[in-house]
Amino acid sequence: YVCPLCGNIIHSTGNAMISCCGITLPALDAEDIDNDHEIIIEKVEDENFITVNHEMTKTHFISFIAHITSDKSQIVKLYPEGNAETRLQLRGRGYLYIFCNKHGLMKKKL
């Protein structure tokens, strides 16, 4: 769940009724990554350097990068005018999620 007013990121492992800033938030459905949101993964020591080829302006940016497996989750909050990149330990099979404030939630199977 992502609040469209304040940008809060709220995650749940099951069905939930979530509200923020006085509004009920819909559960997000992830689309497959498209060419405008290309993800580059480079091995660096014991981690992976994740870069999203995307602008990071105040009006169009990647809000977070997350790696979710059956038993673990890692979420890194990103901010406008920063870089759309982070280092994560990608252990186990799962999905890499990104959230674009204009195009929504996207995923890539790892």
Side-chain angles (χ1 to χ4, degrees), residues 1 26-32 97-99 103-107:
Y1 302 87
L28 299 177
D29 289 322
E31 301 289 327
D32 289 331
Y97 289 90
I98 64 170
F99 183 81
H103 300 107
L105 186 65
M106 289 171 249
K107 67 181 177 182

Side-chain angles (χ1 to χ4, degrees), residues 14-78:
N15 293 331
M17 187 73 112
I18 306 290
S19 64
C20 188
C21 297
I23 58 173
T24 301
L25 304 179
L28 299 177
D29 289 322
E31 301 289 327
D32 289 331
I33 296 286
D34 59 24
N35 292 335
D36 293 334
H37 299 87
E38 180 185 2
I39 295 176
I40 301 162
I41 302 172
E42 298 175 65
K43 187 79 170 156
V44 178
E45 298 170 0
D46 66 338
E47 295 181 313
N48 292 276
F49 188 67
I50 314 293
T51 305
V52 182
N53 186 20
H54 194 278
E55 64 182 286
M56 291 292 284
T57 64
K58 288 183 179 180
T59 57
H60 191 190
F61 58 92
I62 300 297
S63 177
F64 67 83
I65 299 173
H67 181 241
I68 310 295
T69 65
S70 62
D71 63 344
K72 292 183 183 179
S73 66
Q74 300 175 80
I75 300 174
V76 177
K77 176 76 172 132
L78 303 175

